[in-house]
Amino acid sequence: MAAVDFDMCFIFISCGWEESMHDSRIFNEILTNDNVAFPHPDEGKYYLVNSGYPNRIGYLAPFKGHRYHQQEFRRIARNAMANTPRELFNKVHSSLRSVVERTFGAWKNRWGFIRDMPR
C-alpha cells in the first residue's frame, strides 16, 4: 500500500504483505494499527483511494458500476462528458488519481530495479 501527494512524493509505503491479501484488509490493518505512522487526512480533507478500498470518512473511492477511466470518456466524442453526477465524480477522481500512476512510473523510470522486481 502506498500513498502519494500531488507533488509526486511518497508519504507512506507499507510493503511485505502476502500477494493474496485483499487491498481492503491491508487498508483496514494500516488505519487501525496505532503502531503504524500512517498520515491520516486532516478533518475536512480526503485521500483518493482506488476501488479496492472502502469509502469511509476521509477516504473517497470511485462509484462502482459507472465509467471511470479517462479513455472511457474519450472513446466516443459525444460521450466525453459525464452523464450523471456519479460519472462526473468518477471522471474527476480518475484524473486526480493519475498522479499516483505517474509517481510510480517516474520511480520505475529512475530506478529500473523497481520495474524488474519479482512479485
Side-chain angles (χ1 to χ4, degrees):
M1 183 175 126
V4 301
D5 63 16
F6 286 109
D7 293 323
M8 296 179 64
C9 295
F10 286 95
I11 59 171
F12 180 82
I13 294 177
S14 178
C15 55
W17 297 88
E18 288 184 28
E19 190 173 334
S20 62
M21 181 108 31
H22 193 274
D23 289 347
S24 62
R25 180 161 179 215
I26 295 169
F27 182 69
N28 286 328
E29 292 282 335
I30 295 296
L31 294 186
T32 58
N33 188 336
D34 292 334
N35 295 323
V36 175
F38 182 77
H40 297 278
D42 296 331
E43 187 175 332
K45 304 287 182 176
Y46 297 88
Y47 285 161
L48 299 177
V49 297
N50 71 24
S51 60
Y53 298 101
N55 266 316
R56 54 192 299 173
I57 295 172
Y59 304 88
L60 294 174
F63 287 101
K64 294 180 181 176
H66 298 274
R67 287 188 293 176
Y68 180 74
H69 298 285
Q70 294 298 310
Q71 61 267 26
E72 292 174 323
F73 289 98
R74 282 187 237 128
R75 205 170 287 150
I76 302 171
R78 64 176 161 61
N79 285 336
M81 299 300 295
N83 295 323
T84 66
R86 288 181 177 203
E87 277 192 353
L88 177 60
F89 177 88
N90 280 2
K91 185 177 181 181
V92 173
H93 188 285
S94 174
S95 178
L96 293 171
R97 200 173 148 282
S98 68
V99 172
V100 176
E101 302 304 327
R102 286 195 325 267
T103 302
F104 275 100
W107 277 61
K108 287 177 182 179
N109 285 335
R110 172 83 177 167
W111 294 284
F113 72 89
I114 295 173
R115 180 181 49 250
D116 300 328
M117 289 179 71
R119 291 186 65 89

